[in-house]
Amino acid sequence: MIAKPGKVTVARLFRSNGRYVLGCFEGTTKMYPMEKLKETTYCYPHAFVEAEADYEAFYQKINSNHLHMAYGSYSNVLELFCRIVGIEYVCFNK
C-alpha cells in the first residue's frame, strides 16, 4: 500500500531528557510505482512524503522510528495543544 497523494501533517510525541516533546512537519505525499516498495520492506504500508523541512534537525531530535500522519494541515493545532498542556513543540518545516 502506498498512501494517496495529498497534503499531510507528520508528527511524533517522544521524550527528551525525561520530558515530552511533540515534533512535526507538513508536506505532500507522492505516488510511486509499486516496484519502489521492493527497495524497503515492501509488505508494510508506505507514505512517500516530500517536505521543506530541516531533516538534519529532525534526525537529531526525533528518537523514534515510527511517525504518525494525517491528511490535512494540523501543525498550528498541534502547536496550540502543546502550549495548553505544557509540552515542548518543535516544527521541522523551514
Side-chain angles (χ1 to χ4, degrees):
M1 190 282 303
I2 299 177
K4 69 179 183 174
K7 176 84 172 157
V8 295
T9 302
V10 179
R12 176 66 187 195
L13 184 64
F14 59 95
R15 286 184 179 256
S16 178
N17 297 319
R19 303 198 68 214
Y20 280 112
V21 178
L22 190 139
C24 83
F25 63 88
E26 293 185 355
T28 304
T29 51
K30 302 292 183 182
M31 285 298 292
Y32 286 91
M34 293 299 283
E35 293 77 37
K36 183 86 170 157
L37 299 182
K38 293 179 182 174
E39 296 176 17
T40 64
T41 308
Y42 68 91
C43 61
Y44 294 118
H46 284 65
F48 296 100
V49 181
E50 291 182 0
E52 289 189 27
D54 184 346
Y55 291 108
E56 185 61 33
F58 173 81
Y59 290 126
Q60 293 296 319
K61 189 85 171 162
I62 296 284
N63 57 0
S64 178
N65 63 345
H66 292 87
L67 302 171
H68 306 280
M69 183 183 83
Y71 285 93
S73 179
Y74 296 103
S75 61
N76 291 339
V77 173
L78 292 173
E79 182 179 16
L80 179 59
F81 169 78
C82 288
R83 273 195 262 140
I84 291 169
V85 299
I87 294 174
E88 180 183 349
Y89 172 81
V90 179
C91 182
F92 295 103
N93 286 107
K94 292 183 177 179

